[in-house]
Amino acid sequence: STDPEIVKLREEEAQLDKDRVSLIQKELGPLIKDYLSSKIDIQAFKSKIDSYNKRFQYWGFKGIKGQMFFNQLINVSEVIGETDAELKTAIVIPDSEQMASSRIKTFESYVKRIGDERVESGGSKHSRPKIGSIPFFLSYFWQLQDKDKWPIYYTISVNSMIDLNLWQPKEELAEDYIQFKQIHDELIELYSEKTGHPYDYFTVEHIFWYKSGNPFDGTKVVAKTNGEQESFIEPTSKIIGLPESYVPPIVAVLPKMAERNKEIEESAKSSTTNLEFEKHVNAAFTILGYETKLLGQGQGRVPDGTAIDRDNSYAIIWDAKVRSNTYSLGTDDRIIREYISTQSRALKKTFFIEEYLLLYHFLKIR
């Protein structure tokens, strides 16, 4: 495209990618090597990673699935040496997709165990590291070690694939990440062939930004006093006044979405309003501490999602409706009864299997 705005955006993204590579080569790559060789301990490693990602916001790691997950992982660890060993094993760059899948599964099992142990010892269930953060967390470190082999599992990329009907995650972390990677590999090959220019994970990532927006709110390039160029992140939106609400924006927008607010619909034209509404409802349950699963599109006659509280052995089956006028439950009562009947059986079966495995594990230890 010769559109000046598109050309400018491409130049900015190219500069961002150049800065990413430079930071990996000069700082982050050597830092990971120092940690893996035990030249620095896990606390120092966590602190340095946090520092770099606050100064250079090139990957979005300082958020919930990155640094917050890292902090929670350390906070719930009863034996820091065990966590150190598990983390080192997990972030070592995999030799194959099969190895990557195994690393995710093993780390998922460990994170779940230490989180459950913390709750059993009286800790808050909300303090547990979120299992769903693992693909992003691990793929971040893998990409820093080989940017041409491992894409980062960005939520914005996943959501774009879902909206475009390219893919529907199965809520199996290891399997989902491998499929995510394989789709990226196919897109790299396709775009390179069609355009005649080499594509990589960075450029495919930028394409998803065109669909859903840059997750870093726009990268700007400025000249420093020594004549060199430096990238920094500048928010594209401005805050009018001081916010008084403690409610996260992804949840705060729900009332307007539910009543089909015209401004919200205009801003969501790139995707179906109902699908976006489901994602926001799911996010609300996630923030409340439930183990959530989005159903709906592509999965047959099912509700929009489930929210499970394993600590108290109950689940919520929910279906989201967007209406500008009032909604009468009686219009869909037969469907809702069907949802409850089918999902209840599936959920009870899941709980039974987990209890059986726990009992089997206990007897095996005895």
Side-chain angles (χ1 to χ4, degrees):
S1 173
T2 57
D3 186 307
E5 289 297 322
I6 298 296
V7 172
K8 180 181 178 182
L9 182 59
R10 285 176 175 168
E11 291 174 351
E12 292 173 348
E13 290 172 349
Q15 183 63 44
L16 169 63
D17 295 343
K18 181 179 178 181
D19 292 340
R20 282 173 162 178
V21 173
S22 177
L23 187 62
I24 290 171
Q25 293 174 341
K26 294 178 181 179
E27 304 291 349
L28 293 174
L31 175 61
I32 293 175
K33 289 181 179 178
D34 284 348
Y35 172 61
L36 293 176
S37 62
S38 299
K39 290 183 180 179
I40 60 173
D41 63 26
I42 190 172
Q43 293 285 5
F45 179 59
K46 178 174 75 72
S47 178
K48 288 180 180 291
I49 286 291
D50 185 28
S51 176
Y52 279 122
N53 281 284
K54 284 178 177 176
R55 290 164 53 202
F56 307 101
Q57 301 176 38
Y58 299 160
W59 289 277
F61 189 81
K62 71 173 188 175
I64 294 175
K65 294 187 175 182
Q67 194 63 44
M68 180 179 291
F69 175 86
F70 205 166
N71 294 340
Q72 290 177 325
L73 181 69
I74 300 300
N75 291 340
V76 302
S77 300
E78 297 292 340
V79 182
I80 198 67
E82 182 183 23
T83 299
D84 179 53
E86 292 286 346
L87 181 62
K88 283 178 177 174
T89 300
I91 69 172
V92 169
I93 185 169
D95 295 329
S96 63
E97 291 181 357
Q98 183 178 3
M99 178 64 73
S101 176
S102 177
R103 293 261 171 87
I104 292 174
K105 290 177 181 178
T106 301
F107 195 60
E108 178 185 0
S109 177
Y110 175 70
V111 172
K112 187 176 187 304
R113 175 170 66 82
I114 62 174
D116 290 344
E117 288 174 351
R118 171 53 67 92
V119 172
E120 290 170 3
S121 64
S124 168
K125 66 178 182 179
H126 300 294
S127 66
R128 291 179 298 188
K130 300 297 183 289
I131 300 298
S133 301
I134 290 174
F136 171 82
F137 182 79
L138 294 185
S139 61
Y140 164 79
F141 290 107
W142 294 346
Q143 188 178 93
L144 294 185
Q145 297 170 80
D146 192 340
K147 69 180 183 63
D148 297 319
K149 190 172 182 179
W150 303 105
I152 295 180
Y153 196 78
Y154 285 115
T155 300
I156 194 170
S157 298
V158 172
N159 290 341
S160 293
M161 288 182 183
I162 294 172
D163 289 347
L164 293 168
N165 290 320
L166 291 177
W167 174 52
Q168 183 70 40
K170 297 181 179 179
E171 306 298 332
E172 295 290 340
L173 301 186
E175 182 179 349
D176 285 347
Y177 177 74
I178 298 305
Q179 290 184 349
F180 176 88
K181 175 187 181 300
Q182 291 172 347
I183 291 173
H184 274 67
D185 292 338
E186 292 177 11
L187 290 174
I188 286 174
E189 183 178 350
L190 176 64
Y191 290 139
S192 299
E193 178 184 343
K194 294 296 183 182
T195 64
H197 299 287
Y199 272 67
D200 57 19
Y201 290 132
F202 285 171
T203 45
V204 171
E205 174 188 305
H206 297 328
I207 290 172
F208 286 124
W209 293 359
Y210 290 125
K211 171 68 173 63
S212 302
N214 186 333
F216 313 122
D217 294 321
T219 303
K220 303 298 180 183
V221 182
V222 295
K224 297 196 293 188
T225 54
N226 60 6
E228 297 179 358
Q229 287 188 324
E230 180 179 27
S231 295
F232 71 99
I233 307 301
E234 179 181 273
T236 56
S237 60
K238 297 180 180 180
I239 298 176
I240 307 301
L242 295 175
E244 297 181 353
S245 174
Y246 290 96
V247 181
I250 193 170
V251 177
V253 74
L254 275 170
K256 288 188 176 181
M257 294 183 75
E259 65 184 16
R260 302 190 71 92
N261 179 275
K262 296 299 181 183
E263 294 181 3
I264 296 294
E265 288 192 346
E266 285 296 319
S267 66
K269 277 186 175 179
S270 60
S271 178
T272 61
T273 305
N274 190 48
L275 182 58
E276 289 297 322
F277 186 58
E278 293 164 2
K279 291 179 185 177
H280 286 255
V281 173
N282 190 67
F285 281 115
T286 303
I287 291 171
L288 290 171
Y290 289 96
E291 179 182 321
T292 62
K293 184 175 183 179
L294 262 178
L295 303 173
Q297 189 180 58
Q299 299 195 40
R301 194 181 177 92
V302 294
D304 290 333
T306 58
I308 302 173
D309 182 347
R310 297 191 183 276
D311 294 334
N312 297 294
S313 299
Y314 76 90
I316 298 171
I317 302 167
W318 60 270
D319 202 64
K321 301 295 182 185
V322 176
R323 294 287 189 277
S324 55
N325 298 316
T326 58
Y327 171 71
S328 175
L329 184 62
T331 58
D332 291 321
D333 58 350
R334 184 179 61 82
I335 296 175
I336 292 172
R337 288 175 182 274
E338 181 181 327
Y339 289 164
I340 294 173
S341 177
T342 56
Q343 292 299 314
S344 292
R345 288 196 296 270
L347 288 167
K348 286 178 181 178
K349 184 178 179 181
T350 299
F351 281 119
F352 172 76
I353 290 174
E354 290 190 349
E355 290 174 2
Y356 172 78
L357 290 175
L358 181 61
L359 177 61
Y360 171 78
H361 182 65
F362 173 75
L363 293 175
K364 189 175 180 182
I365 293 174
R366 293 291 298 268

